[in-house]
Amino acid sequence: EHGVLTLSVDLNDAEALNKLFKDHKFTHVLALAAQAGVRYAIKDPQSYVKSNIEGFVCLMEAARSQDPMPRIVYASSSSVYGLN
């Protein structure tokens, strides 16, 4: 039966990501993890970069090492709601 596996993992933990991809052989990845809010990014830009950019790069690198490589869908709803 086809289901959706949801995981809570630090995207900056490359070792954990690589193990997950090895153990599960994902065909698709829906990436919704992010630190939302522009105001906080202005206050602490390095934290924002680490979680939103570096974390996503780690995710892509883990996916890229798989054969076949899973399809990745990246989405962020932060800007949809405005006033952040």
Side-chain angles (χ1 to χ4, degrees), residues 33-49:
Q35 185 181 77
V38 173
R39 287 188 189 115
Y40 185 72
I42 292 169
K43 193 183 275 189
D44 187 2
Q46 188 56 40
S47 172
Y48 194 83
V49 167

Side-chain angles (χ1 to χ4, degrees), residues 6-73:
T6 58
L7 302 167
S8 179
V9 136
D10 182 349
L11 293 183
N12 288 293
D13 187 345
E15 187 176 319
L17 287 175
N18 287 325
K19 182 173 179 0
L20 282 171
F21 275 85
K22 181 181 176 189
D23 291 349
H24 293 284
K25 303 292 183 198
F26 297 113
T27 58
H28 294 76
V29 175
L30 176 58
L32 300 174
Q35 185 181 77
V38 173
R39 287 188 189 115
Y40 185 72
I42 292 169
K43 193 183 275 189
D44 187 2
Q46 188 56 40
S47 172
Y48 194 83
V49 167
K50 182 168 180 63
S51 64
N52 290 359
I53 298 171
E54 292 176 15
F56 187 63
V57 168
C58 282
L59 177 68
M60 290 190 300
E61 288 297 324
R64 186 170 78 140
S65 69
Q66 301 304 299
D67 185 25
M69 186 171 59
R71 297 191 183 255
I72 297 177
V73 175

